[in-house]
Amino acid sequence: RIRIVNKFNDNYDHYYIKIADASRIYGLELEHILSPNRIVFFTCDNTLVEEHIPGIPGDLFIKQLDDPLTNKIRLAKEFVKFNERCFVRLLGDMRSYNFVVDITPDIEDYQYRIRAIDFDQQSYEGRKNLYLPQFFKENYSYVHLSLMHLNKESIAQYQAEERTMITFRLASSRYRIKELFDVMSK
């Protein structure tokens, strides 16, 4: 991790320097295209530079679940949608330490967005459960929260909403996706 400091105002940004590999690049591209999140990264030869993704690491945020200010229903809804995004995109290994919770104040409460921060397990495994964050023991608190605050109909509704949003994003980026899939298939 590197920090770049603006000498004028001492403001800083963090970036991560990594070895570029195909799985990670495909994951970043698919996250940028199919998720509601924008990803900034650059590659040059075998080097990847990724912009820091802000948020509270998922494994640390678990400790805040009992906080009375945490809107458990909104967080449960977001976990269901995150689970769906990971599965549709075949993004694996989304244990709680591989995602962050981004909290945005809203008019009456807070909005939550769960964002992946590790993209090196894109389309990597053949087993379905590795692409569903709900099956990792590290995410049990999020699964329990979702089951306590959402019924089956609500979960199905949120899954359908997320698939619909992914479909809209896919349709608007269909040529870019086709080019990416052509490269991936080779």
Side-chain angles (χ1 to χ4, degrees):
R1 181 173 79 171
I2 64 168
R3 178 189 293 197
I4 298 176
V5 180
N6 181 330
K7 287 186 177 185
F8 178 72
N9 60 15
D10 288 332
N11 197 12
Y12 57 86
D13 291 305
H14 288 109
Y15 294 88
Y16 296 90
I17 311 299
K18 301 178 180 180
I19 295 173
D21 63 62
S23 181
R24 186 172 276 134
I25 301 296
Y26 298 148
L28 288 162
E29 280 288 335
L30 289 170
E31 175 76 6
H32 183 77
I33 297 168
L34 297 179
S35 84
N37 309 310
R38 302 296 59 122
I39 301 291
V40 177
F41 69 96
F42 302 98
T43 60
C44 180
D45 298 325
N46 290 333
T47 303
L48 168 68
V49 179
E50 255 182 75
E51 184 178 47
H52 173 71
I53 298 171
I56 301 169
D59 55 340
L60 297 179
F61 189 80
I62 286 174
K63 298 172 185 170
Q64 296 182 10
L65 291 181
D66 292 330
D67 186 330
L69 295 177
T70 301
N71 186 321
K72 293 168 181 57
I73 295 171
R74 286 186 177 186
L75 183 60
K77 172 185 172 182
E78 177 58 20
F79 184 75
V80 169
K81 290 182 167 200
F82 175 70
N83 196 68
E84 198 65 19
R85 284 193 299 271
C86 290
F87 181 66
V88 169
R89 292 182 27 246
L90 297 179
L91 178 60
D93 196 19
M94 280 300 111
R95 300 168 208 264
S96 59
Y97 51 79
N98 283 332
F99 62 80
V100 295
V101 180
D102 187 16
I103 306 167
T104 306
D106 200 0
I107 293 170
E108 296 178 5
D109 208 342
Y110 295 97
Q111 292 291 337
Y112 300 92
R113 171 73 49 86
I114 299 178
R115 298 188 61 183
I117 58 171
D118 189 4
F119 301 95
D120 64 345
Q121 296 291 316
Q122 184 71 46
S123 308
Y124 197 74
E125 296 286 340
R127 293 185 319 207
K128 172 184 120 175
N129 288 358
L130 292 173
Y131 300 112
L132 290 163
Q134 72 188 49
F135 289 115
F136 290 107
K137 68 179 182 196
E138 293 84 353
N139 300 340
Y140 175 75
S141 296
Y142 293 101
V143 173
H144 180 70
L145 179 81
S146 299
L147 294 174
M148 292 296 295
H149 294 282
L150 303 174
N151 60 26
K152 286 182 181 182
E153 294 79 18
S154 295
I155 291 171
Q157 173 192 341
Y158 297 141
Q159 288 171 325
E161 282 177 17
E162 195 58 36
R163 284 192 299 267
T164 300
M165 295 306 297
I166 290 172
T167 301
F168 287 136
R169 292 183 202 108
L170 182 61
S172 67
S173 301
R174 63 187 170 274
Y175 299 114
R176 186 173 176 183
I177 284 286
K178 184 189 179 320
E179 289 176 4
L180 182 62
F181 283 173
D182 288 346
V183 170
M184 288 175 74
S185 65
K186 290 178 186 175

